[in-house]
Structures are given as C-alpha cells and as structure tokens.
C-alpha cells in the first residue's frame, strides 16, 4: 500500500472547516441531537467566522463509545483565493447528489486528533455512518478504546465536549457571478468527506493546526476571513512588539513555505517583532547557509507518494497508460481514476504550492505553468512530455522499417557533413631479407559523405482539454507523430535504394551503387529461385577490396523484397524435408527475409551483415535515436505546445556488401 498525503487523496486541496460543537440549552433537541440550524458567530479573540453546530452529550453511549454530531451545514463562508488574493464565499451543497457518502459509510473515514495523520496513534475513532438530515450532514462516530479515546469519552460525559472539524475534498465547484458591490459565491456541488477531527477552538489568527505530516501550518488558508480590509486584529495590538500587519504575516508564512522552511520559523520571527523586509533577509541568509553545507541527495528511497520523485514517476505512468490504452500497473493503480486536473494539482502540492479549487480554469493555467523561469522535472507539462515520449516511441518502434537492420549506425555531433572513409586492405606481408630491410606498403582510400537533417512538427494540449479531462487528442498526436517519424526514416532509406531507376545513389567514383560492371547487379532479371540466389551469393563472395585483388568474402545474410515478392521469397527460404539430395534447400535458415512494402516492383536485393561489410549508414544527432519531444508554454494556444523532432540522416557508403536482381 502506498501512503499518500490526505491533502492529495483525491487530487484536490484539503479544506479544513472548523465547526464548533457547543451545547445550547435554549434550543429544542431530539434524543440524539439538536435540530437547530447552525449559526455564525465571531470568536472573541480572532477574526474568524465559526460554524456553530449542535452537539448533544446525551447522544453519547458510554458502553458502545459512540456519539452523533452535525458535522456540516453547508453554510457559505468567506475565503481568499491564493492565486490573486480575491475574496469569495464558499458554500457546500448538502444534498444526496452533491455529497459522496460511500467512503464514509464504508467505515474508512477516521476520527483524528487535530487533523494529524502521521502515526496510528493519531486516529482516535472512526465514522460509522453519515446521513443527511434537514439539510445538515450528520455523522455517527465511535471512539477507539485507546487512552486518547477514553479521554474524549470522559470529556463528553463531563459535559465539556470537544470541537469538531472536518477535512473534505471538492471534486466540482460551481462558480457564482459577483454583483457590483458583492463578492461571488462558489458552491461545491460535488465533494467528499475525508476525515473528522477533534480540535481545540482557534483563539486568534496565529493559531496553528497540525497538517497530515505533523508540521505546523498557518490557519489563514483554511479559516474564513471576516473583513475585506487588512486591519490589525486585537491579537496584534495586545501582543506587541509585533511589527507585521496580518497581510505581512500571511506573506511571511507564504515565503517560508516556498523556501521549504517550517511555519514555526515564520511564527517565531513574527512574534519577535521583525518586519517583512527583515524576514525576507533572514530567509535569504538561511538558504545561503544551507547552500554552503555539503549537499546530499534530495531523492528519497521510500516509494511513497510523500516522495515527490516517486509521485512524479507514478503520475507519468498513469498518463502513459491512459494514452497508450494499457492497463495501469503498480502504484499507478491508486491514481487510475484521477482527472488531469487532479494529477496536476498533486504535482503542485508536492512542491509546496497551494491550490484553490474556486476556479478550474485558474487551476488549469497554474498546472501548465513553469515552476520557475524554465520547466523542471517537477512540472506537470514535463510529466506529460515524458508520457507522450513513451507513447511516441511505442508507435515509432512498431512502424520502423526493416531496412534499418541492414545499416551501420553512427552518431552525429552536429549537422556538418560526415565522411565514411574506407581504406583498402593492407598489402601482403613480405619476407624480410638477410639485410633486414622492410619495405613500405601503400593503401588506397575511398570516402562517401552524408549528414543529419532535422524533421519536426508541432502539436499541443489545450487548457480546455485539461479541464475536460481529454487526453485522447494528445495521445493520438504523440502516436501519429511516432508513426510519422518512422515513415520519414523509411522514405529516406527507400529513396536511397530506388535512386537512379533502382540502381541506387551515385557514389564518389561517379557510378551508382548497383552496376553490372561492379559485379553486384544481375545482367538479366529473374524470379527468386535457388539458382538466382546462388548467383547473388557467389557475386558477393567474390567481391574484392579497394585494392582490386583481396577477396572480402561478403556473406549474404539478408534478402530484401517488396510486397510483390514476399510469398515467392518465403517459398524459396522455407525449410523442406527433402527426399533427395537435389531437393535440399541450401538457403533454408541462412537468410533473413525483410519485406518493405514501399519498394515497388519485382526487384530483390541481398545484403551482407553490416558488421562485416556495411553498405548503408544511418546517423542520429547526439545518439538520440528516433523522435524526441520538447515542451514549452503555449503561445499560439492556451495550454502547452509540444514539438516532435527527428534528427536523422542516411547514405550509402559501399557497394561491395549488396547485390541487386531487377526481378521479373
């Protein structure tokens, strides 16, 4: 089981909404709980809105350790968008079609101690059932028999029940339109309960809650905001010498988070009275000190979703499986049902960024942006690129031409012409006379020239596709460009063989590759027969080196035909159990058949193994075989643009390792 942060359990931010459970003797209640609607009130020491929910201690069963509570009324509360700082009201729709209750009803929603989920001791109970009553979300909860559970039970029996807070994930938010003098109200029309916590009442804006990793997190992103202005609170006035306003304090917490410093670092310096400018200097010095120390690898060996490297690899596996139409395997199975936005927000959160689900369009823009001035491996577009590269490579390899098997591969470092130089065979060694004199020997040379060229196309994934969870267009494009790259290579190789009416390109000696005077072309075309193959084999065996005298003994290993000659070639190369010696097929199992449908007509060719005598050369830039994907933020389109690039070249470097029969 791969452990994942609660905030990422469904690919959306965890929203902590404090619901203060208080008794109210003036309200009428049933035997289980009060039916009064929740009300909003101001905490005396904080500028937060609280949701008041009824909690009747009489609902507690000490023998079963169970109680019932209203955990959400869905009332609208004010929040701040972390992207642009704008305010909006968030409401939760509490209807059977809006709240996903299957998870809670299955008994897997825990009761936690102050939202902590780092160890098993943090769970002090479990939600056994959830239902909707009168527009409110009501939960039945059973306490654990642990010491912490017993302490909660004692508090309830004593008439001092704790406060309740919930953690939930929003799957879909309906955005409202603000009037001229009001802020918009966004309603969560599809949300899911992740956990219920027992928490103390937040006393002021500097109150901290525990995150799922056990680190202190400032509450300003999870509490409701009371005022549009940024006036200092009573807390600020009472706790001098604090020099930061509430706005500056929130900025300090944000700076600390982006610098991967604990919230405690920010809190201590805020209470010490430093200004925001001084705090920035402190953070800079802290980072500089860390850079001076011996660096250790940040890659964690544990394969959990807490490890950003493992999380990124898993997300890439999910994207690849979806685009390739393959089953999701391993850890990626836990994310198989996530949308593209879900996966993108998980990447953002893993690198410490906050995500607001108030606008899916804003999330899409944020997901497709760089994390800095350039794309890094922690960017979602890079994960898309990696998955797309794998889809492209699969399609490319499936469509590769068999002609590449006949070639010698080289690596180009740039686009300048490359020379295939060949020296003639070394002269024979001569006997050394009594005087001990050794004579010099000479060698002739030939060379052919070729170069790598670039072939490329652009395609993109739009913001709309990301919002609509449509990965098909991107996957199909990657697949098509993979096939296109293979087609490009095949077309260039076929063009070599069919140049000069099938005699091949003209070499440096002024003659085409195939010519009867070279001895590598049959004077009269014929069908593929044992006798015709024998003539071709003999021609290659008798080939001489550049000196015109030394046999190179080229052994034909490959028979290349077009689709018109495929069946004929298979019949000739087939293994036959011969009854007579004359019926034995001498070529059975000695040649590999390669069918290239782009080769039209009846001509057929023999090639020696390229490790012995290479006739064709293929080259890639910097040894990057096949097409490569690159990504940049969309300029001509909203989203991200991807570029498929193939740096490839091919040419003929020798005529001695190949034989042509024009066919009939």
């Amino acid at each position: 089981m791969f452990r994942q942060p609660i905030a990422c359990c469904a690919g959306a931010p965890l929203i902590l909404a404090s619901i203060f459970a208080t008794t109210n003797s003036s309200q009428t209640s049933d035997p289980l709980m009060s039916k009064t609607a929740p009300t909003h009130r101001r905490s005396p020491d904080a500028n937060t809105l609280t949701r008041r929910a009824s909690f009747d201690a009489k609902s507690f069963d000490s023998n079963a350790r169970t109680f019932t509570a209203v955990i959400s009324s869905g009332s609208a509360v004010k929040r701040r968008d972390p992207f642009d700082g704008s305010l909006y009201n968030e409401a939760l729709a509490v209807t059977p079609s809006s709240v996903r209750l299957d998870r809670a009803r299955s008994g897997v929603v825990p009761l936690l101690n102050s939202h902590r989920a780092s160890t098993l001791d943090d769970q002090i109970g479990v939600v056994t059932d959830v239902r909707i009553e009168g527009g409110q979300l009501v939960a039945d909860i059973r306490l654990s028999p642990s010491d912490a559970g017993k302490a909660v039970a004692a508090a309830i029996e004593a008439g001092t029940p704790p406060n309740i807070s919930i953690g939930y994930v929003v799957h879909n938010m309906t955005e409202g339109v603000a009037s001229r003098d009001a802020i918009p109200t966004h309603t969560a029309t599809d949300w899911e309960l992740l956990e219920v916590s027992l928490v103390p009442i937040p006393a002021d804006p500097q109150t901290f809650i525990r995150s799922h990793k056990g680190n202190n997190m400032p509450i300003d992103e999870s509490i409701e905001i009371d005022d549009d202005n940024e006036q200092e609170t009573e807390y600020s006035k009472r706790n001098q010498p604090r020099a930061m306003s509430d706005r500056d304090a929130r900025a300090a917490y944000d700076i600390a988070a982006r610098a991967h410093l604990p919230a405690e670092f920010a809190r201590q310096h805020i209470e010490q009275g430093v200004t925001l400018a001084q705090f920035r200097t402190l953070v800079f010095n802290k980072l500089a000190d860390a850079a001076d120390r011996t660096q250790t690898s940040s890659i964690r060996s544990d394969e959990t979703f807490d490890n950003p490297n493992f999380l990124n690899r898993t997300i890439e596996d999910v994207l690849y499986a979806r685009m390739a139409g393959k089953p999701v395997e391993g850890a990626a199975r836990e994310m198989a049902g996530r949308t593209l936005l879900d996966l993108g927000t998980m990447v953002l959160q893993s690198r410490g960024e906050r995500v607001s689900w108030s606008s899916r369009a804003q999330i899409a823009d944020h997901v497709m942006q760089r994390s800095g001035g350039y794309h890094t491996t922690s960017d979602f577009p890079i994960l898309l690129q990696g998955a797309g590269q794998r889809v492209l490579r699969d399609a490319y390899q499936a469509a590769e031409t068999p002609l590449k098997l006949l070639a010698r591969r080289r690596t180009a470092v740039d686009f300048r012409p490359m020379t295939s130089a060949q020296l003639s065979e070394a002269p024979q060694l001569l006997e050394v006379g009594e005087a001990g004199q050794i004579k010099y020997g000479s060698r002739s040379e030939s060379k052919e020239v070729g170069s790598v060229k670039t072939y490329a196309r652009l395609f993109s994934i739009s913001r709309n596709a990301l919002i609509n969870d449509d990965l098909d267009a991107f996957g199909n494009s990657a697949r098509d460009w993979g096939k296109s790259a293979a087609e490009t290579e095949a077309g260039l190789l076929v063009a070599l063989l069919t140049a000069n009416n099938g005699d091949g390109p003209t070499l440096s000696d002024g003659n085409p590759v195939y010519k009867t005077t070279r001895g590598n072309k049959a004077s009269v075309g014929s069908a593929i027969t044992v006798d015709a193959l024998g003539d071709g084999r003999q021609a290659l065996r008798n080939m001489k080196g550049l000196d015109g005298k030394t046999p190179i003994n080229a052994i034909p290993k490959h028979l290349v035909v077009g689709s018109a000659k495929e069946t004929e070639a298979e019949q000739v190369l087939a293994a036959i159990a011969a009854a007579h010696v004359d019926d034995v097929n001498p070529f059975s199992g000695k040649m590999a058949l390669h069918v290239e449908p782009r080769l039209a007509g009846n001509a057929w060719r023999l090639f020696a193994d390229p490790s012995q005598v290479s006739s064709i050369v293929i080259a890639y830039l910097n040894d990057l075989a096949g097409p490569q994907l690159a990504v940049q933020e969309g300029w001509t389109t909203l989203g991200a643009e991807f570029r498929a690039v193939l740096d490839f070249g091919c040419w003929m470097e020798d005529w001695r390792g190949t034989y042509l029969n024009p066919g009939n």
Side-chain angles (χ1 to χ4, degrees), residues 111-155:
L111 177 68
L112 302 178
N113 180 5
S114 302
H115 300 292
R116 291 194 295 265
S118 57
T119 68
L120 293 177
D121 293 336
D122 294 325
Q123 182 172 351
I124 56 178
V126 66
V127 176
T128 58
D129 189 26
V130 175
R131 58 193 176 276
I132 297 174
E133 294 183 358
Q136 297 176 327
L137 191 61
V138 179
D140 294 333
I141 301 172
R142 183 175 68 249
L143 294 171
S144 72
S146 64
D147 291 341
K150 293 177 181 178
V152 173

Side-chain angles (χ1 to χ4, degrees), residues 94 109 112 163 221 342 385 429 452 462 470 538 570 594:
V94 185
V109 172
L112 302 178
N163 303 296
E221 287 299 323
D342 289 340
Q385 174 189 344
L429 300 179
V452 168
S462 67
D470 182 8
Q538 182 179 2
E570 288 179 338
H594 304 288

Side-chain angles (χ1 to χ4, degrees), residues 11-13 170-171 173 341-342 345 349 355-360 363:
V170 176
H171 296 287
M173 182 81 75
L341 284 186
D342 289 340
T345 54
Q349 291 168 334
V355 178
S356 169
W357 281 86
S358 61
S359 170
R360 294 173 65 85
I363 292 177

Side-chain angles (χ1 to χ4, degrees), residues 313-493:
R313 292 197 304 269
T314 304
I315 290 177
E316 182 180 310
D317 289 342
V318 174
L319 296 173
Y320 168 69
R322 288 182 57 180
M323 286 190 285
K326 296 183 177 181
V328 182
E329 299 178 349
R333 285 196 296 267
E334 296 192 27
M335 299 184 185
R338 305 293 173 84
T339 67
L340 293 179
L341 284 186
D342 289 340
L343 298 173
T345 54
M346 292 175 71
V347 174
L348 296 178
Q349 291 168 334
S350 71
R351 66 189 190 207
E353 298 188 28
R354 297 172 182 170
V355 178
S356 169
W357 281 86
S358 61
S359 170
R360 294 173 65 85
Q362 280 187 326
I363 292 177
D365 290 338
H366 197 188
V367 164
M368 300 306 288
Q369 288 174 353
R370 300 177 175 91
S371 60
Y374 50 88
H375 275 306
T376 68
T377 55
S378 62
D379 285 337
F380 187 71
I382 294 297
L383 302 183
L384 270 176
Q385 174 189 344
Q389 179 73 51
R390 291 162 65 179
V391 173
L392 182 147
R393 179 56 57 88
D394 288 347
Y396 165 76
Q397 291 177 343
E400 278 187 299
T401 174
L403 298 180
K404 291 174 62 177
L405 299 174
L406 314 175
R408 179 171 69 95
R409 178 170 159 178
R410 293 186 60 182
T411 297
V413 296
D414 52 35
F415 297 98
R416 289 178 294 182
M418 301 174 64
T419 300
S420 294
Q422 292 180 323
L423 292 175
S424 66
E425 291 66 25
Q428 289 184 342
L429 300 179
L430 301 178
E431 181 181 354
V432 179
E434 293 183 3
Q437 182 180 6
I438 301 176
K439 296 182 179 180
Y440 284 96
S442 62
R443 303 179 69 180
S444 58
E445 178 185 7
S446 71
K447 61 182 180 180
E448 305 299 332
V449 178
S451 62
V452 168
K453 296 181 180 180
T454 299
Y455 308 87
R457 284 284 189 172
L458 286 173
F459 60 99
S460 64
I461 181 170
S462 67
R463 181 178 64 164
N464 290 350
L466 196 65
I467 295 175
N468 296 335
D469 196 34
D470 182 8
L471 200 57
D472 289 341
F474 178 74
N476 290 338
S477 295
R479 191 176 299 107
D480 290 343
W481 291 127
K483 295 177 182 177
S484 177
E487 177 65 29
T488 298
E489 293 180 351
L492 293 172
L493 287 167

Side-chain angles (χ1 to χ4, degrees), residues 177-424:
V177 179
S179 61
R180 182 172 183 179
D181 299 322
I183 62 175
T185 296
H186 303 327
T187 303
T189 56
D190 183 5
W191 60 282
E192 182 177 11
L193 180 69
L194 296 184
E195 54 94 0
V196 178
S197 284
L198 300 182
V199 297
I201 298 176
D204 53 61
Q206 303 306 317
T207 300
F208 292 84
I209 59 176
R210 282 287 179 181
S211 74
H212 56 277
K213 294 181 179 178
N215 298 323
N216 287 331
M217 297 289 290
I219 201 171
D220 67 279
E221 287 299 323
S222 59
I223 63 173
E224 297 76 30
I225 300 172
D226 180 59
D227 296 318
D228 291 354
N229 57 33
E230 298 293 338
Q231 297 177 353
E232 289 190 340
T233 63
E234 290 298 321
Y235 176 92
S236 303
K237 298 175 182 178
R238 292 196 312 270
N239 290 272
Q240 296 298 335
R242 172 174 159 176
M244 293 190 195
S245 65
D246 289 346
R247 179 191 293 273
D248 288 349
R250 282 193 289 271
Y253 281 117
D254 186 61
I255 291 171
R258 283 182 289 169
H260 302 289
L261 296 174
E264 181 67 15
F265 178 84
R267 185 188 66 79
Q268 289 177 351
H269 288 92
I270 291 172
E271 292 182 352
Q272 290 172 5
V274 302
T275 64
L276 183 60
Q278 292 171 334
F279 182 76
R280 286 195 177 98
T281 302
L282 290 170
V283 171
F284 179 82
N285 292 337
K286 187 83 171 176
L287 296 177
D289 291 341
D292 289 338
R293 302 190 193 102
T294 301
Q295 297 297 309
T296 58
S297 174
S298 61
I299 299 177
R300 296 171 52 181
S301 60
D302 55 317
E303 293 190 344
T304 70
F305 294 150
D306 290 337
N307 180 356
N309 298 286
F310 180 75
L311 174 66
N312 290 342
R313 292 197 304 269
T314 304
I315 290 177
E316 182 180 310
D317 289 342
V318 174
L319 296 173
Y320 168 69
R322 288 182 57 180
M323 286 190 285
K326 296 183 177 181
V328 182
E329 299 178 349
R333 285 196 296 267
E334 296 192 27
M335 299 184 185
R338 305 293 173 84
T339 67
L340 293 179
L341 284 186
D342 289 340
L343 298 173
T345 54
M346 292 175 71
V347 174
L348 296 178
Q349 291 168 334
S350 71
R351 66 189 190 207
E353 298 188 28
R354 297 172 182 170
V355 178
S356 169
W357 281 86
S358 61
S359 170
R360 294 173 65 85
Q362 280 187 326
I363 292 177
D365 290 338
H366 197 188
V367 164
M368 300 306 288
Q369 288 174 353
R370 300 177 175 91
S371 60
Y374 50 88
H375 275 306
T376 68
T377 55
S378 62
D379 285 337
F380 187 71
I382 294 297
L383 302 183
L384 270 176
Q385 174 189 344
Q389 179 73 51
R390 291 162 65 179
V391 173
L392 182 147
R393 179 56 57 88
D394 288 347
Y396 165 76
Q397 291 177 343
E400 278 187 299
T401 174
L403 298 180
K404 291 174 62 177
L405 299 174
L406 314 175
R408 179 171 69 95
R409 178 170 159 178
R410 293 186 60 182
T411 297
V413 296
D414 52 35
F415 297 98
R416 289 178 294 182
M418 301 174 64
T419 300
S420 294
Q422 292 180 323
L423 292 175
S424 66

Side-chain angles (χ1 to χ4, degrees), residues 52-67:
R52 184 176 180 182
S54 299
F55 188 118
D56 191 348
K58 295 180 181 179
S59 69
F60 179 65
D61 184 336
S62 59
N63 293 326
R65 303 187 308 280
T66 61
F67 63 90

